[in-house]
Amino acid sequence: MEYIEVEGGHAIQGELAVQGSKNAALPMMAAALLTSQPVVLERCPQIEDVRVMCDLLRYVGAEVEQQGEQIRICAKRISNTRLPSELVAKMRSSIILMGPLLARTGKAGMCFPGGCVIGARPIDLHVTGLRRLGYSIAVEEGCVLAESPLQAGRALWQKVGGRPQCGAVSRIHLRFPSVGATENLLMAAALSQQEIVITGAAREPEVRQLGRMLQQMGAEIEGLGSERIRICGCETLQGTTCRVMSDRIAAGTYLIAGAVTGGDVLLHHVDPVDNFPVLQVLEEMGCHISCHEKQQWIHLRAPEMLKRISVVTRPHPGFPTDLQAMLMVALCKAGGVSSIEETVFEDRFRHVEALRRMGARITVQGSRATIRGGSRLKAADLWATDLRAGAAMVLAGLCSEGVSRVYNLEHVRRGYESMSRDLLALGAHIKECLD
Ligand code: EPU
């Protein structure tokens, strides 16, 4: 069995270039299905979720070539529109293939993996939005099957040699700014014969980057980064080359690692503007932060003692839910009583049990965790329950007394190229081992 072994009590110090973003790369890879021309993505993170997305794209008929951080996808023809359960089960975000598959072929189907790790994660917003675009969708027995009555219309247009026009405006309102639903709808709308206005859209930088990629491919999109996005779909989109933005969550993880260990960290290839929500919180906790927007670096120097804070996770530009578990580790070390309210996912406190076993004093009531700071954490053997919980456990190991082991690395590898490699570069006493 593989595990990360980490010895606590050493300050994290040094420089690191942050990997490309998982949550940007996945929808950008899906968007390659919208064109029959090649799409090249630079600086793709070499992580498990990207490998699963490559397999899904190959399964539907795309040619996918991966050379280090570069992935070339050419979906000249799409031969399968029903995604295989064994791949979908590995990555819940396979749902973002629905929009591009429907837009390109008029058909898409997949079954849903059972169980859940951070919450129920329904798909009602995806389904309602795609229905508003004219697709008929059946959700039965854990499967979602969609097809397009519009497809018949498009074929007819082509037969009579007409050109579909941007006609009536379809309006879609998302009751919650779901990242995945916004991405799915953006992709489906970009290759449609409609004008679509999405309100209540997600404002995450990863959504903005997907929108920019679609613009490069020829889509007409306004309002990216705002809660109202207008798309005037086109008949065809062209290939493109894009560089994936840096991973905000990996950057935040290593900044918090610096904060909890009393360290000094300089991160390169990071956008301080996109990372503003976490920088603001770390600054309030007493960290000294400097950054350079043009040169894309962030420098963090930890204070002698972190200050307590109350944080609520929210969609961007709020504090990201994906850093909640890591922040909790830092609050275990801060002076005073802190609180975290998790408002994005309903079951994202699974790391609490592991932290308590290490000596943390945390109580949870519903969506709110109260953390009594100043704890001396003790090393333990820990089992990652999901990606970010696993990352938090590694951070807990960095700031506890003794040698901790974190198992279930398959969760951590879904999102981090190598936490042990990166933290080793920052001076941590850490290694990956095999039992
Ligand atoms: N939701 C619904 N109905 C829907 C869709 C979402 O109720 O149809 C709810 C979800 O249950 C959740 C909330 O809306 O409570 C937010 O979900 P969202 O759709 O925004 O999340 P996602 O698209 O499934 C992406 C990231 C997650 C990140 C969330 C929130 C990717 C591939 N995943 O997920 O990343 O936590 O946005 O920012 O982009 C991670 O990297 O560890 C991770 C889980």
Side-chain angles (χ1 to χ4, degrees), residues 138-413:
V139 184
E140 16 183 88
E141 290 172 18
C143 290
V144 47
L145 298 171
E147 62 181 358
S148 157
L150 286 178
Q151 195 62 17
R154 180 185 293 190
L156 187 68
W157 273 113
Q158 280 160 1
K159 234 185 211 164
V160 298
R163 196 177 175 285
Q165 304 282 321
C166 252
V169 182
S170 300
R171 291 180 198 282
I172 301 170
H173 180 70
L174 299 178
R175 65 170 161 73
F176 186 90
S178 157
V179 172
T182 306
E183 291 168 345
N184 238 338
L185 295 172
L186 262 178
M187 291 188 276
L191 194 63
S192 71
Q193 276 87 65
Q194 306 177 59
E195 182 177 339
I196 291 120
V197 174
I198 307 173
T199 52
R203 297 162 63 191
E204 268 67 5
E206 295 77 12
V207 176
R208 193 186 59 218
Q209 183 167 47
L210 171 68
R212 291 204 178 131
M213 172 180 173
L214 295 171
Q215 285 171 331
Q216 268 177 239
M217 293 169 78
E220 204 182 297
I221 305 176
E222 285 168 15
L224 289 172
S226 80
E227 66 85 43
R228 184 182 185 279
I229 303 179
R230 179 183 159 274
I231 309 123
C232 190
C234 12
E235 208 178 337
T236 52
L237 293 170
Q238 66 211 28
T240 189
T241 298
C242 288
R243 192 172 156 80
V244 177
M245 62 184 276
S246 74
D247 196 307
R248 294 185 289 138
I249 307 306
T253 303
Y254 298 132
L255 290 172
I256 297 174
V260 289
T261 58
D264 189 317
V265 174
L266 176 61
L267 298 183
H268 296 285
H269 292 322
V270 280
D271 188 332
V273 177
D274 290 343
N275 285 282
F276 178 73
V278 65
L279 297 184
Q280 197 179 25
V281 163
L282 288 169
E283 218 159 35
E284 264 184 72
M285 292 175 72
C287 296
H288 307 279
I289 292 181
S290 47
C291 48
H292 201 293
E293 200 183 319
K294 266 210 178 118
Q295 294 171 8
Q296 301 266 290
W297 55 257
I298 300 174
H299 177 219
L300 173 141
R301 194 158 47 78
E304 293 250 309
M305 180 74 173
L306 292 167
K307 293 185 204 155
R308 62 156 298 279
I309 193 171
S310 293
V311 171
V312 182
T313 65
R314 296 220 190 270
H316 192 77
F319 187 85
T321 170
D322 294 343
L323 285 172
Q324 178 257 109
M326 298 73 140
L327 182 72
M328 194 177 285
V329 176
L331 296 182
C332 292
K333 305 296 285 183
V337 180
S338 300
S339 71
I340 296 184
E341 195 182 337
E342 170 59 63
T343 72
V344 179
F345 289 104
E346 64 273 24
D347 189 15
R348 213 172 194 183
F349 282 142
R350 290 182 174 223
H351 43 282
V352 168
E353 200 39 54
L355 296 179
R356 280 197 193 123
R357 282 183 38 221
M358 299 177 88
R361 293 165 300 167
I362 305 170
T363 49
V364 174
Q365 270 193 313
S367 60
R368 191 184 167 89
T370 305
I371 305 111
R372 291 185 189 285
S375 295
R376 282 177 62 181
L377 299 183
K378 297 243 162 28
D381 282 358
L382 306 163
W383 279 263
T385 47
D386 66 78
L387 162 57
R388 306 303 172 188
M393 290 172 198
V394 174
L395 263 51
L398 288 174
C399 62
S400 61
E401 291 166 13
V403 177
S404 297
R405 290 185 178 144
V406 180
Y407 292 90
N408 286 355
L409 293 188
E410 66 277 12
H411 289 298
V412 181
R413 289 184 180 138

